[in-house]
Amino acid sequence: MTTTDTPMTTGEPRRAPLKGWLAVAAVTLGIFSLMTSELLPVGLLTPVGEALHVSDGTAGLMVTVPGLVAALSAPVVTVATGRVDRRIVLGVLVGLVGVANLASAFADHFAVVLGARFLIGIAVGGFWAIAGGIALRLVPEEHVGRAMAIIFGGVETASVLGVPTGTLIGDLSDWRTAFAAVGGLGLASLCAMVLLLPPLPADESLTFAELPRVLRRNSGVRVGVVITFLLVTGHFVAYTFVRPILQDAGVDGSKVSMMLLIFGVAGITGNFLAGARVSQHVRRIVLVISVVLTAAMVLFALLGGGGMAVGIVLLILWGLGYGAVPVSLQTWILQAAPEATEAASSLYVSMFNFSIALGALAGGLAFDNIAMTSVLWIGAVLAALTPAVVGPRRKTT
């Protein structure tokens, strides 16, 4: 058994440092391209909706669909490819992201875009479930925490560079050009996988029966899955609609990409601040994340109308909190189930992406039918419930 505040261990043999870190870089680029693909519609929601004649709430399905599909594909892809070299699986999935984004760029109907987003969901779920614990196999044990922070820095870098750059491209040209650029990024990631990843034979023979078994026998995994639901759903209920919220607060649409860039920089900072200590203090960091996200969304609901300056300060606070989420929750899961990393990771990734989808869907319904600020209050309540689930320091069983 292990506690949720202890370092991870691994029985993998030591690897050559340079080759290991190059492989980490390739996986990071893959995560970056996947998360840029998944989150790109956040910055282009209004332009795509206007071009394809759907409302902002309906356009939010571009986030909901891949999230739901990724929730299903995480365990399905992990089990279905159980005996296939992980390098091949990761390469195929990131290549699929490139093709799907290119298809979106040429779509003339919203249904075609949703079909492409379906394919992106398959890639995101499968890739993340396998890549989540792959640092354990690429670098020496003492560097695993740092490698995980770098890999999940790809999530935050997608917010810093990917989403704002895509938004800027969309503002300067059009949203089709932005999707095409991300498609090219996916194909570049495929090349990096082929060139830099070593052979990674599957080291677990995973079956569908193993997934409920891990949940049933391991309380640490169960708690990790629930707090993933609360924090990620809470975040995406509100963040999916950050562009129209900012514009309603008086921020010019041309400034939104810059503000998203600031959010992303804060996110990267939060990722690496958490990554430096998360192996030893994951429970404490999760509690801090909950407090920060709750405060950011409540203050945004109360003060967001104060204009651009207030919005920037609150986005920095929000970004610091959410930036620490992926590396912290992945670490929680790996510490809870070091003997079943792919099974536990697939459950975590499934819930993470289901929560993205549910957050975007619930946020869209609230945004269209209740009030714009309702998405902030809903997100804050969900984040605020996290400490009750974490509870006192506990051991997994």
mmCIF file of all heavy atoms in Angstrom, residues 3 18 56 106 137 161 218 223 256 303 342 352 368:
data_model
loop_
_atom_site.group_PDB
_atom_site.id
_atom_site.type_symbol
_atom_site.label_atom_id
_atom_site.label_comp_id
_atom_site.label_asym_id
_atom_site.label_seq_id
_atom_site.Cartn_x
_atom_site.Cartn_y
_atom_site.Cartn_z
ATOM 1 N N THR A 3 0.663 5.797 0.506
ATOM 2 C CA THR A 3 -0.133 6.963 0.844
ATOM 3 C C THR A 3 -0.181 7.888 -0.340
ATOM 4 O O THR A 3 0.589 7.756 -1.280
ATOM 5 C CB THR A 3 0.471 7.720 2.056
ATOM 6 O OG1 THR A 3 1.682 8.316 1.619
ATOM 7 C CG2 THR A 3 0.707 6.802 3.214
ATOM 8 N N LEU A 18 20.113 11.282 -22.087
ATOM 9 C CA LEU A 18 19.798 12.097 -23.254
ATOM 10 C C LEU A 18 18.649 11.495 -24.055
ATOM 11 O O LEU A 18 17.690 12.192 -24.420
ATOM 12 C CB LEU A 18 21.031 12.261 -24.146
ATOM 13 C CG LEU A 18 20.808 13.073 -25.424
ATOM 14 C CD1 LEU A 18 20.317 14.480 -25.089
ATOM 15 C CD2 LEU A 18 22.093 13.125 -26.253
ATOM 16 N N ASP A 56 -23.589 30.233 -29.557
ATOM 17 C CA ASP A 56 -22.397 29.959 -28.751
ATOM 18 C C ASP A 56 -22.578 28.685 -27.933
ATOM 19 O O ASP A 56 -21.646 27.896 -27.770
ATOM 20 C CB ASP A 56 -22.100 31.141 -27.813
ATOM 21 C CG ASP A 56 -21.404 32.293 -28.532
ATOM 22 O OD1 ASP A 56 -20.917 32.083 -29.659
ATOM 23 O OD2 ASP A 56 -21.366 33.397 -27.970
ATOM 24 N N PHE A 106 -11.622 22.353 -43.602
ATOM 25 C CA PHE A 106 -12.323 22.394 -44.891
ATOM 26 C C PHE A 106 -13.818 22.130 -44.760
ATOM 27 O O PHE A 106 -14.519 22.006 -45.759
ATOM 28 C CB PHE A 106 -11.701 21.378 -45.851
ATOM 29 C CG PHE A 106 -10.298 21.726 -46.267
ATOM 30 C CD1 PHE A 106 -9.212 21.146 -45.646
ATOM 31 C CD2 PHE A 106 -10.071 22.673 -47.260
ATOM 32 C CE1 PHE A 106 -7.906 21.481 -46.017
ATOM 33 C CE2 PHE A 106 -8.782 23.015 -47.629
ATOM 34 C CZ PHE A 106 -7.692 22.424 -47.014
ATOM 35 N N ARG A 137 8.920 5.086 -17.643
ATOM 36 C CA ARG A 137 9.684 4.188 -18.500
ATOM 37 C C ARG A 137 10.761 4.896 -19.312
ATOM 38 O O ARG A 137 11.488 4.247 -20.047
ATOM 39 C CB ARG A 137 8.723 3.459 -19.460
ATOM 40 C CG ARG A 137 7.604 2.715 -18.744
ATOM 41 C CD ARG A 137 6.694 2.009 -19.732
ATOM 42 N NE ARG A 137 7.394 0.979 -20.462
ATOM 43 C CZ ARG A 137 6.866 0.239 -21.432
ATOM 44 N NH1 ARG A 137 5.611 0.456 -21.793
ATOM 45 N NH2 ARG A 137 7.564 -0.677 -22.045
ATOM 46 N N LEU A 161 0.551 28.844 -25.686
ATOM 47 C CA LEU A 161 0.923 29.052 -27.078
ATOM 48 C C LEU A 161 -0.150 28.573 -28.048
ATOM 49 O O LEU A 161 -0.476 29.257 -29.008
ATOM 50 C CB LEU A 161 2.237 28.339 -27.381
ATOM 51 C CG LEU A 161 3.466 28.836 -26.614
ATOM 52 C CD1 LEU A 161 4.678 27.984 -26.970
ATOM 53 C CD2 LEU A 161 3.736 30.298 -26.914
ATOM 54 N N ASN A 218 -9.193 -0.149 -4.639
ATOM 55 C CA ASN A 218 -8.241 0.911 -4.333
ATOM 56 C C ASN A 218 -8.976 2.214 -4.020
ATOM 57 O O ASN A 218 -9.459 2.908 -4.912
ATOM 58 C CB ASN A 218 -7.286 1.112 -5.518
ATOM 59 C CG ASN A 218 -6.076 1.939 -5.152
ATOM 60 O OD1 ASN A 218 -6.206 2.998 -4.583
ATOM 61 N ND2 ASN A 218 -4.895 1.448 -5.501
ATOM 62 N N VAL A 223 -10.961 8.033 -4.837
ATOM 63 C CA VAL A 223 -10.927 9.443 -4.435
ATOM 64 C C VAL A 223 -10.356 10.296 -5.562
ATOM 65 O O VAL A 223 -10.877 11.378 -5.876
ATOM 66 C CB VAL A 223 -10.097 9.619 -3.145
ATOM 67 C CG1 VAL A 223 -9.855 11.103 -2.861
ATOM 68 C CG2 VAL A 223 -10.807 8.972 -1.966
ATOM 69 N N VAL A 256 -8.872 39.337 -26.462
ATOM 70 C CA VAL A 256 -9.114 38.073 -25.768
ATOM 71 C C VAL A 256 -7.931 37.121 -25.917
ATOM 72 O O VAL A 256 -7.531 36.451 -24.962
ATOM 73 C CB VAL A 256 -10.410 37.415 -26.278
ATOM 74 C CG1 VAL A 256 -10.560 36.005 -25.717
ATOM 75 C CG2 VAL A 256 -11.611 38.261 -25.890
ATOM 76 N N LEU A 303 -16.550 40.395 -9.637
ATOM 77 C CA LEU A 303 -15.764 41.551 -10.061
ATOM 78 C C LEU A 303 -15.415 41.560 -11.542
ATOM 79 O O LEU A 303 -14.818 42.529 -12.020
ATOM 80 C CB LEU A 303 -14.449 41.613 -9.265
ATOM 81 C CG LEU A 303 -14.562 41.613 -7.741
ATOM 82 C CD1 LEU A 303 -13.181 41.538 -7.111
ATOM 83 C CD2 LEU A 303 -15.310 42.845 -7.259
ATOM 84 N N GLU A 342 -1.447 1.732 -16.092
ATOM 85 C CA GLU A 342 -2.282 1.989 -17.269
ATOM 86 C C GLU A 342 -3.760 1.845 -16.953
ATOM 87 O O GLU A 342 -4.584 2.613 -17.443
ATOM 88 C CB GLU A 342 -1.872 1.082 -18.427
ATOM 89 C CG GLU A 342 -0.582 1.514 -19.103
ATOM 90 C CD GLU A 342 -0.408 0.910 -20.496
ATOM 91 O OE1 GLU A 342 -1.281 0.135 -20.928
ATOM 92 O OE2 GLU A 342 0.608 1.227 -21.138
ATOM 93 N N PHE A 352 -11.427 12.556 -16.549
ATOM 94 C CA PHE A 352 -10.969 13.899 -16.891
ATOM 95 C C PHE A 352 -11.705 14.400 -18.138
ATOM 96 O O PHE A 352 -12.242 15.511 -18.163
ATOM 97 C CB PHE A 352 -9.463 13.878 -17.131
ATOM 98 C CG PHE A 352 -8.794 15.239 -17.076
ATOM 99 C CD1 PHE A 352 -7.954 15.564 -16.029
ATOM 100 C CD2 PHE A 352 -8.994 16.176 -18.069
ATOM 101 C CE1 PHE A 352 -7.332 16.806 -15.962
ATOM 102 C CE2 PHE A 352 -8.385 17.429 -18.020
ATOM 103 C CZ PHE A 352 -7.547 17.741 -16.953
ATOM 104 N N ASP A 368 -26.917 29.573 -21.917
ATOM 105 C CA ASP A 368 -28.016 29.925 -22.818
ATOM 106 C C ASP A 368 -29.342 30.144 -22.095
ATOM 107 O O ASP A 368 -30.180 30.920 -22.554
ATOM 108 C CB ASP A 368 -28.208 28.830 -23.870
ATOM 109 C CG ASP A 368 -27.158 28.893 -24.982
ATOM 110 O OD1 ASP A 368 -26.454 29.917 -25.077
ATOM 111 O OD2 ASP A 368 -27.036 27.907 -25.740
#
